[in-house]
Amino acid sequence: MSGPPPAPPRPWLAVRTLGFVVAVIDRVFEPVNSTRVYGSVEGWGRWLFGYPLLFGQILLYLGMAWGIVGGELGVSDLFWHERWMSQFWVGASACMLFGVVTFVNTLLQVPTRLPGLPADGRLTLRSCWTLFPSRNPGVRAVGRRLFGWLVFLLAVVYVGKRTALGVAGEEAGVPHGGVPFVLGYLAGLLFAFAFSLADALLGFRDVVADQPWLRRPYP
């Protein structure tokens, strides 16, 4: 009779250590190790870099605001102008530019999780908690997404400029503290909200969409 089978050899210390490290990493990152997280990261990456020309406009504008692009030519001084009203209108223009880029990007990459709910019967206070007040839940969802992006870009522009000045050691700072720029940017957001609210109340978009000349099939 043959004796008991020999015990399998114990793995090397390095192999056991590697296994322990892998187990610890899996345990630590377990909350984010899910299909939902991977899908969100992939979706954000596709939204940012799917159309480089659109995203490049934002990067170019940020570079100008921070003094990285055209700083030797005084582009940053034109951006953060010493005149109060000039800086205000630059902020409003920046909001419009960022808004157009993010909105076009959203149209090109329609969110897959828009609420498929019917339109509300009337406009309520809940319908106005978005950049695009509307009776349509999908329109409100897009408005909330764009509002988040625009506020984020405002913070990136302002904090990035402050950081660039600190790294460069410039003591002059931003003219007027950048307050006119921020107010102009917020005024751009308010204008978009007011325009969408007026459209939701008057139904101008629905009237235009129902015109026969717009629904006429082309040969």
Side-chain angles (χ1 to χ4, degrees):
M1 296 179 62
S2 60
R10 298 188 63 184
W12 295 341
L13 179 61
V15 176
R16 286 183 290 165
T17 304
L18 180 60
F20 174 77
V21 172
V22 171
V24 170
I25 293 176
D26 285 343
R27 185 67 176 176
V28 171
F29 290 95
E30 185 177 359
V32 298
N33 189 18
S34 65
T35 304
R36 181 178 181 181
V37 173
Y38 290 142
S40 299
V41 173
E42 181 184 2
W44 283 110
R46 185 173 60 251
W47 197 85
L48 285 173
F49 306 109
Y51 295 91
L53 291 179
L54 294 176
F55 188 64
Q57 295 181 48
I58 295 180
L59 291 181
L60 177 62
Y61 212 70
L62 292 178
M64 294 167 56
W66 296 343
I68 299 175
V69 178
E72 299 82 0
L73 303 176
V75 175
S76 181
D77 296 333
L78 295 176
F79 194 94
W80 306 98
H81 206 277
E82 294 183 356
R83 294 182 57 184
W84 202 95
M85 286 304 299
S86 297
Q87 192 178 139
F88 175 88
W89 288 115
V90 169
S93 302
C95 180
M96 295 298 176
L97 173 66
F98 291 158
V100 169
V101 171
T102 53
F103 183 68
V104 171
N105 204 347
T106 302
L107 292 180
L108 294 175
Q109 304 186 51
V110 180
T112 57
R113 283 183 277 185
L114 287 178
L117 301 175
D120 300 335
R122 59 188 180 88
L123 201 66
T124 61
L125 183 62
R126 179 184 177 185
S127 308
C128 298
W129 287 104
T130 173
L131 186 61
F132 298 151
S134 173
R135 291 185 290 270
N136 191 316
V139 174
R140 296 199 298 266
V142 172
R144 285 190 293 267
R145 181 171 184 172
L146 262 64
F147 179 79
W149 266 108
L150 292 176
V151 172
F152 170 74
L153 289 173
L154 172 61
V156 169
V157 170
Y158 192 79
V159 175
K161 180 60 177 179
R162 289 290 188 179
T163 304
L165 290 175
V167 172
E170 298 183 13
E171 299 180 356
V174 180
H176 307 291
V179 174
F181 175 86
V182 175
L183 292 179
Y185 197 99
L186 296 178
L189 289 176
L190 182 61
F191 173 79
F193 174 82
F195 191 85
S196 298
L197 180 60
D199 175 71
L201 293 174
L202 301 177
F204 178 75
R205 179 179 52 191
D206 296 334
V207 172
V208 173
D210 288 338
Q211 295 303 310
W213 54 267
L214 188 63
R215 295 185 286 107
R216 181 181 57 192
Y218 291 94

